[in-house]
């Protein structure tokens, strides 16, 4: 009898032990992998149906997207790297989180998303591009820390947990050089962390962030011939911008066309794409044998030169995109092999949009559609049906509260964004869901990209933009201080104030600024009321902190 009881006790103990072990090895809460590529714009996907879709630039990403929900109206709140990343981690707009431009810093105690995920029992990891100056508040990190935290495309330096985290100019800087292309390296480090470094008894949230396809598009050498003999479809507005823009972007008599908005063509005499593209050093590691003379010559017309520059620009960009897509495929292959794929929420996005020659513009920063729109899709078969698509408006301040709710938590009150968990799980907007999004670009006339400062509101049908044309520091004040050594900046140049209005239902490519069309008078008046309310709600008003900007607003609000 005693032996029988002892035997039953042993069996019971083993059962409890095995159950505990099984529970530890397979957390019931979903893992989360947040994948973000720098400047990966919606035009460069198959799923968004752009002129580039037929090139099939993202087969892996398209497959993931079609297995979940695709957002057609995801927007950035400030289309530049550091502010967008700060908005994503804080759930706040720029004035609330203090990161207005590329020189901003998000302190560890304001990195609310990883902080909240730790409280929920998640292991947190950040791998790849960081670009927020302060040390990442993650259990594990391994991030680019040279070249202003941009990192290098080839043989980049990264700093990981346990090293002294500092900017490269700090004498105590620690970093390790990894040989190879940055996209491959980010995938290698990520897979190694998943395989060897994570705590397998905990659910994890992993930020997997690429440098690619950021300018100057140094692709891995294996992609040298990809698309080489393919003609890349060109936007009509590359050659004829019609009635896009205003005196804010062109000047009173078009006198600013040569300095505002970095261009594909030779239009911008300070910064145009050819200046970098046709320099052999620009792809010295990607294609050491590159010879510009085989593609351009002095006998070309301006249009021929613009087309040749566009073709080379897009091919390099899409080669970097190809590298991202292929490395995501490696990550997915690992997740499937380890039985992690279906219990992991997979999010994919870019840190903003990007101009690929539309309106003869390159880079981001603008509130124009290609720069404002972010690609965004989520796969999680347990809660999200395959094949969903929504036109619900979300922005990057909404990401953090959503991920926290998906993990079973409650977003902190400090976050200004709103959880769209209901939309993910149903494909439907909940009652009272936001019908507009607010945008603001602060970095007036920076880096020879030379975009005037502006803010605006975008609904599903309309867009209203106000260009106020002033740097956020009052440069007319002799006692004012700002970074006068920052390269390529013309912060002291005040540009004209002007309004732009686009009816996106009739003019999706924004070729007709209809602000002065009397047919839209009442609609514009209503949008101004909405814009005023948004600015107040989000603490984005200027009166107290930036009176020199408020003065311009007051003078031109009713223009």
């Amino acid at each position: 009898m005693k032996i029988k009881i002892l035997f039953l006790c042993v069996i019971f103990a083993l059962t409890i032990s095995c159950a505990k072990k099984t529970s530890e090895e397979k957390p019931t809460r979903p893992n989360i992998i947040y994948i973000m590529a720098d400047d990966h714009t919606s035009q460069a996907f198959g799923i968004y149906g752009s002129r580039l879709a037929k090139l099939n630039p993202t087969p892996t990403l398209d497959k993931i997207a079609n297995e979940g929900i695709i957002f057609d109206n995801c927007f950035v709140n400030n289309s530049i790297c550091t502010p967008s990343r700060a908005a994503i981690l804080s759930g706040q707009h720029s004035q609330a989180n203090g990161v207005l431009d590329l020189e901003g810093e998000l302190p560890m105690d304001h990195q609310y998303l990883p902080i909240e995920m730790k409280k929920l029992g998640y292991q947190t990891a950040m791998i790849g591009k960081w670009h927020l100056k302060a040390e990442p508040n993650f259990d594990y990190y391994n991030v680019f820390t040279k070249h202003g935290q941009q990192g290098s495309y080839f043989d980049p330096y990264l700093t990981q947990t346990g090293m002294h985290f500092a900017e490269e100019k700090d004498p105590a800087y620690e970093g390790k050089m990894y040989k190879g292309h940055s996209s491959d390296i980010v995938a290698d480090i990520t897979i190694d962390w998943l395989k060897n470094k994570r705590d397998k008894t905990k659910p994890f949230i992993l930020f997997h962030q690429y440098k690619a396809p950021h300018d100057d598009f140094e692709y891995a050498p294996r992609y040298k011939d990809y698309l080489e003999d393919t003609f890349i479809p060109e936007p009509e507005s590359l050659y004829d911008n019609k009635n896009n823009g205003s005196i804010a972007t062109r000047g009173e008599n078009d006198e600013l066309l040569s300095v505002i908005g970095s261009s594909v063509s030779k239009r911008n005499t300070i910064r145009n794409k050819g200046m970098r593209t046709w320099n052999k050093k620009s792809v010295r590691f990607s294609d050491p044998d590159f010879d510009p003379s085989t593609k351009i010559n002095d006998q070309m017309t301006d249009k021929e030169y613009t087309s040749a520059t566009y073709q080379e620009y897009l091919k390099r960009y899409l080669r970097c995109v190809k590298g991202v897509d292929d490395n995501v495929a490696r990550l997915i292959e690992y997740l499937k092999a380890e039985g992690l794929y279906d219990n992991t929420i997979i999010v994919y996005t870019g840190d903003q949009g990007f101009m690929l020659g539309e309106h003869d513009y390159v880079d981001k920063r603008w509130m124009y559609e290609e720069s404002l729109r972010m690609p965004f899709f989520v796969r999680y078969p347990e809660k999200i049906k395959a094949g969903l698509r929504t036109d619900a408006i979300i922005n990057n301040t909404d990401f953090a509260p959503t991920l926290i709710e998906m993990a079973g938590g409650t977003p902190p009150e400090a976050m200004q964004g709103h959880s769209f968990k209901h939309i993910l799980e149903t494909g439907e907007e909940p009652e009272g869901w936001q019908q507009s999004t607010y945008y603001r670009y602060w970095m007036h006339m920076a880096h020879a990209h030379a975009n005037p400062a502006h803010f605006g509101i975008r609904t599903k049908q309309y867009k209203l933009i106000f260009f106020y044309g002033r740097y956020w520091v009052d440069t007319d004040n002799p006692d004012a201080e700002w970074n006068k050594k920052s390269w390529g900046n013309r912060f002291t140049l005040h540009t004209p104030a002007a309004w732009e209005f686009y009816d996106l239902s009739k003019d999706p490519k924004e070729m007709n600024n209809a602000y002065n069309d009397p047919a839209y008078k009442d609609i514009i008046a209503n949008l101004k009321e909405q814009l005023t309310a948004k600015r107040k709600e989000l603490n984005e008003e200027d009166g107290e902190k930036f009176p020199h900007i408020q003065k311009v607003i007051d003078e031109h609000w009713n223009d």
Side-chain angles (χ1 to χ4, degrees):
M1 186 66 177
K2 288 182 180 179
I3 293 173
K4 186 175 182 181
I5 292 171
L6 179 62
F7 177 76
L8 290 172
C9 288
V10 170
I11 294 298
F12 180 76
L14 286 171
T15 302
I16 295 296
S17 174
C18 289
K20 183 178 179 183
K21 185 177 181 182
T22 301
S23 175
E24 288 175 348
E25 289 182 348
K26 294 186 178 180
T28 55
R29 283 171 295 170
N31 302 308
I32 302 170
I33 297 181
Y34 175 94
I35 308 172
M36 186 161 73
D38 195 307
D39 295 341
H40 192 183
T41 186
S42 59
Q43 305 97 283
F45 285 81
I47 55 169
Y48 284 107
S50 76
R51 68 183 184 279
L52 305 178
K54 65 181 181 182
L55 300 175
N56 192 26
T58 50
T60 299
L61 296 173
D62 291 354
K63 187 174 188 300
I64 297 169
N66 286 318
E67 292 174 355
I69 184 169
I70 299 168
F71 283 76
D72 288 321
N73 281 331
C74 178
F75 302 109
V76 68
N77 71 322
N78 184 350
S79 189
I80 191 74
C81 299
T82 303
S84 175
R85 291 162 192 270
I88 289 164
L89 290 185
S90 68
Q92 296 175 326
H93 287 259
S94 297
Q95 282 204 57
N97 64 36
V99 182
L100 306 183
D101 57 25
L102 288 175
E103 296 178 9
E105 176 177 337
L106 190 67
M108 292 183 76
D109 62 352
H110 281 63
Q111 297 169 29
Y112 298 129
L113 178 52
I115 291 170
E116 293 300 315
M117 296 303 291
K118 289 178 189 177
K119 291 178 184 177
L120 294 170
Y122 276 71
Q123 187 176 21
T124 60
M126 168 67 69
I127 296 169
K129 184 168 178 179
W130 171 241
H131 209 196
L132 286 168
K133 290 196 174 182
E135 183 177 2
N137 195 344
F138 288 76
D139 296 314
Y140 174 83
Y141 61 80
N142 202 348
V143 297
F144 300 126
T145 46
K146 281 203 171 183
H147 305 290
Q149 295 188 352
Q150 281 280 1
S152 304
Y153 265 113
F154 288 91
D155 302 342
Y157 281 80
L158 290 89
T159 299
Q160 69 174 324
T161 314
M163 294 180 175
H164 177 70
F165 190 88
E167 294 188 74
E168 61 185 300
K169 60 186 177 184
D170 189 319
Y173 170 79
E174 285 188 76
K176 175 185 174 182
M177 187 185 79
Y178 290 75
K179 295 290 289 182
H181 191 272
S182 69
S183 296
D184 301 335
I185 289 163
V186 168
D188 289 343
I189 295 171
T190 293
I191 293 170
D192 179 65
W193 182 82
L194 287 166
K195 186 184 295 186
N196 302 313
K197 293 186 171 69
R198 69 184 174 94
D199 182 346
K200 296 181 182 180
T201 68
K202 292 182 177 182
F204 62 82
I205 180 168
L206 164 66
F207 285 74
H208 175 78
Q209 303 193 160
Y210 293 95
K211 172 183 173 64
H214 189 280
D215 208 358
D216 279 315
F217 321 123
E218 296 178 62
Y219 50 87
R222 63 182 179 272
Y223 299 118
K224 179 172 69 74
D225 297 325
Y226 174 62
L227 298 174
E228 180 61 24
D229 298 323
T230 300
F231 179 81
I232 310 299
E234 300 175 348
E236 292 180 19
S237 57
L238 174 61
Y239 302 104
D240 182 2
N241 204 20
K242 296 186 178 177
N243 191 38
N244 167 269
S246 61
I247 61 169
T249 62
R250 297 192 300 261
E252 289 280 359
N253 298 299
D254 290 347
E255 73 273 10
L256 294 178
L257 283 177
S258 63
V259 296
I260 283 185
S262 50
S263 60
V264 177
S265 73
K266 295 178 181 179
R267 172 185 57 77
N268 189 315
T269 57
I270 298 173
R271 184 167 184 169
N272 65 66
K273 203 73 205 129
M275 293 174 175
R276 292 170 176 248
T277 299
W278 303 119
N279 183 332
K280 289 184 70 171
K281 290 182 180 179
S282 63
V283 283
R284 62 191 182 279
F285 299 118
S286 302
D287 182 6
D289 299 322
F290 176 69
D291 182 2
S293 68
T294 63
K295 300 191 176 186
I296 58 167
N297 59 67
D298 293 339
Q299 285 70 52
M300 282 181 159
T301 65
D302 283 350
K303 186 173 183 179
E304 289 171 337
Y305 176 88
T306 298
S307 180
T309 303
Y310 171 87
Q311 292 295 319
E312 187 67 21
Y313 167 31
L314 266 290
K315 288 173 184 179
R316 293 184 190 180
Y317 178 90
L318 292 171
R319 287 165 188 162
C320 287
V321 168
K322 175 69 170 168
V324 169
D325 194 79
D326 286 349
N327 275 295
V328 171
R330 290 177 56 208
L331 175 59
I332 298 305
E333 182 181 12
Y334 175 81
L335 294 174
K336 288 180 176 178
E338 295 299 312
L340 292 168
Y341 191 47
D342 287 338
N343 188 42
T344 299
I345 298 170
I346 296 177
V347 178
Y348 188 91
T349 187
D351 57 347
Q352 60 252 327
F354 204 74
M355 308 299 292
L356 295 178
E358 298 86 4
H359 311 295
D360 191 24
Y361 289 136
V362 300
D363 204 67
K364 49 265 186 179
R365 305 168 192 254
W366 296 107
M367 197 182 165
Y368 298 133
E369 203 69 0
E370 296 83 3
S371 169
L372 176 70
R373 184 186 300 279
M374 303 172 76
F376 191 87
F377 51 85
V378 186
R379 182 194 187 274
Y380 181 43
E382 187 173 320
K383 297 286 186 181
I384 301 171
K385 292 180 183 178
L388 289 179
R389 195 155 195 149
T390 177
D391 68 349
I393 290 178
I394 63 171
N395 67 59
N396 54 336
T397 67
D398 299 324
F399 298 175
T402 303
L403 293 175
I404 290 168
E405 278 206 351
M406 292 293 284
T410 302
E413 291 185 6
M415 288 187 175
Q416 296 174 314
H418 306 97
S419 170
F420 49 87
K421 178 174 179 284
H422 178 85
I423 300 172
L424 290 176
E425 296 178 350
T426 67
E428 303 292 333
E429 296 181 36
E431 186 177 349
W433 185 251
Q434 60 199 10
Q435 296 300 301
S436 65
T437 190
Y438 176 76
Y439 178 84
R440 184 163 190 178
Y441 175 71
W442 293 81
M443 210 167 178
H444 178 68
M445 298 299 286
H447 298 162
H449 286 299
N451 305 72
H454 56 288
F455 59 73
I457 190 169
R458 198 235 194 247
T459 68
K460 289 183 181 179
Q461 184 170 353
Y462 304 116
K463 181 182 295 181
L464 182 68
I465 312 172
F466 179 61
F467 288 89
Y468 56 89
R470 300 292 187 276
Y471 186 47
W472 61 269
V473 177
D474 184 2
T475 58
D476 291 339
N477 181 348
D479 298 322
E481 296 182 2
W482 68 90
N483 184 0
K484 295 176 177 143
K485 294 181 180 179
S486 183
W487 68 275
N489 293 327
R490 303 179 71 187
F491 297 149
T492 59
L493 176 63
H494 302 333
T495 54
W499 289 93
E500 296 183 18
F501 168 81
Y502 299 95
D503 182 344
L504 300 170
S505 65
K506 297 178 180 178
D507 180 27
K509 295 183 179 179
E510 298 171 309
M511 299 305 294
N512 179 37
N513 174 13
Y515 182 76
N516 292 317
D517 186 337
Y520 291 107
K521 180 180 178 182
D522 292 340
I523 291 169
I524 291 170
N526 178 261
L527 287 171
K528 286 186 179 181
E529 290 178 4
Q530 292 187 49
L531 181 55
T532 298
K534 277 276 187 190
R535 282 167 52 76
K536 184 174 182 179
E537 172 196 344
L538 298 173
N539 186 32
E540 281 286 325
E541 295 175 301
D542 294 280
E544 291 185 16
K545 293 183 181 178
F546 312 105
H548 65 295
I549 296 175
Q550 186 61 49
K551 182 181 178 184
V552 178
I553 295 170
D554 292 341
E555 289 175 352
H556 294 277
W557 191 258
N558 295 316
D559 283 2

